[in-house]
Amino acid sequence: MFVKLCGLRTEEDVATAVAAGADAVGFVFTASPRQISVEAVRDLLAGVPPQVLSVGVVHGIPAAEAGELARAAGVDALQLHGSYPRAAFEELAGLRLLRATSLTAETAVDTGAYGEEWLLLDSPVAGSGDRWDLGALTATPPTGQWLLAGGLSPANVAEAIAAARPWGVDVSSGVESSRGVKDHDLMREFVSAARAAGARPSGPAH
């Protein structure tokens, strides 16, 4: 089970994520309670070992600007969050990309449909901590390396993994003590719970 901890802002956040065994750490470049500067991310990346994927997250800015931020920060990958069109991903060819979107009747749920390496399915309001109806995934099961997000926490991630059977999970608000402030105990608990749930036998993967 691939685990991404997002919205990190401090050296302690990064150190806790790495020590807990997270596979990826996310940094939010655009307006959010979790926003962090490119300069600060560059400094924090010194604490991210090569085996942990560093991801820059953007929402609502042009693709070209997003690419500049990712390159300036030195992150491994760029997450385009929201209703970015296929053309935005084509414009950023050459970067490792994560397409993050909510699930609607029009959502392309095959990972790579826009040329991205990973797909992330989130609640309609990203970062809100709101849960969404995982039953919608039954009719249109995603394929490939896709991550489940939206309202996840240490208390419910095992249930969500059993229901949706994603390739990975992503969390931000579900491991916070207040908006934008990470709770390091919850971060550790989340990784542990997700790992345990992902190791349980299940039916054929999507």
Side-chain angles (χ1 to χ4, degrees):
M1 180 59 55
F2 187 93
V3 181
K4 175 172 170 277
L5 301 180
C6 201
L8 308 189
R9 301 177 64 205
T10 69
E11 289 183 12
E12 292 77 12
D13 291 348
V14 171
T16 300
V18 170
D23 298 289
V25 291
F27 305 99
V28 180
F29 292 142
T30 47
S32 162
R34 305 166 187 94
Q35 185 174 10
I36 186 171
S37 70
V38 163
E39 294 75 19
V41 171
R42 277 203 302 263
D43 292 339
L44 292 180
L45 289 180
V48 181
Q51 71 271 19
V52 177
L53 185 77
S54 59
V55 183
V57 180
V58 297
H59 179 272
I61 65 171
E65 183 181 345
E68 289 171 4
L69 290 172
R71 294 185 182 97
V75 291
D76 298 323
L78 174 63
Q79 177 175 321
L80 297 179
H81 209 119
S83 55
Y84 281 92
R86 191 183 308 272
F89 291 83
E90 293 171 351
E91 187 175 347
L92 293 167
L95 288 175
R96 302 181 74 185
L97 299 173
L98 196 158
R99 173 168 59 101
T101 183
S102 58
L103 183 63
T104 69
E106 291 75 41
T107 303
V109 294
D110 295 326
T111 303
Y114 283 23
E116 76 280 3
E117 191 167 343
W118 306 275
L119 169 66
L120 186 149
L121 295 178
D122 199 356
S123 66
V125 182
S128 65
D130 293 340
R131 298 192 70 180
W132 52 283
D133 181 14
L134 300 184
L137 293 168
T138 303
T140 53
T143 64
Q145 296 186 154
W146 76 277
L147 287 77
L148 177 67
L152 299 181
S153 70
N156 65 27
V157 66
E159 175 190 358
I161 288 171
R165 290 156 56 210
W167 172 81
V169 289
D170 176 277
V171 69
S172 186
S173 60
V175 291
E176 291 181 344
S177 56
S178 61
R179 295 286 280 176
V181 179
K182 290 293 181 280
D183 182 308
H184 297 158
D185 287 336
L186 290 179
M187 290 169 66
R188 287 186 282 265
E189 291 168 16
F190 184 89
V191 175
S192 178
R195 286 268 188 272
R200 291 174 190 147
S202 64
H206 293 312

